[in-house]
Amino acid sequence: MAESDANQASPLKKVLDILFGVAVMGTVGTLIGIIMGGGIMPLASGAGLVLGGVIGFMGGRRFLASILVGTLLGGALAWLVAGTERISVGAGAGAAMGGFLGVQISMLLDMRAAKKKAVIGGT
């Protein structure tokens, strides 16, 4: 019975990951569209929505969380340093840095887990 419960939770988890990805990357795409100008905003937002859906489908929750944290911290820092008119620039830059750092941290965590698995499996 526990196996069927796990199978039922899996599609819901997948849908929530996709929605999380669409929300985060759609926001980042919109911020990039605002920075680049009004005419490109629908294209940037659409690209963010599609990429977010794909990343969520593939299970990139840690990556999306790092982008979300980078967006919030970048926007807050820009607000404190440059004022409200530069929040979108700071949030976009923070999202880019958050994504970059998220990928690097994820790789390091995966390498650490593989190393632990090799040590435990080798003894």
Side-chain angles (χ1 to χ4, degrees), residues 21-34 38-52:
V22 166
V24 170
M25 295 300 284
T27 301
V28 171
T30 302
L31 289 169
I32 291 171
I34 289 171
I40 198 79
M41 184 157 42
L43 180 65
S45 298
L49 292 171
V50 170
L51 285 172

Side-chain angles (χ1 to χ4, degrees), residues 63 66-67 69-71 74 90-105:
F63 175 69
S66 67
I67 290 175
V69 169
T71 303
M97 288 300 299
F100 173 76
L101 291 173
V103 167
Q104 299 302 317
I105 290 169

Side-chain angles (χ1 to χ4, degrees), residues 2-57:
E3 188 175 331
S4 64
D5 290 341
N7 290 337
Q8 289 176 356
S10 182
L12 177 62
K13 186 183 259 188
K14 184 73 76 175
V15 169
L16 290 176
D17 284 348
I18 292 170
L19 291 176
F20 182 53
V22 166
V24 170
M25 295 300 284
T27 301
V28 171
T30 302
L31 289 169
I32 291 171
I34 289 171
I35 292 168
M36 293 181 73
I40 198 79
M41 184 157 42
L43 180 65
S45 298
L49 292 171
V50 170
L51 285 172
V54 170
I55 292 169
F57 179 75

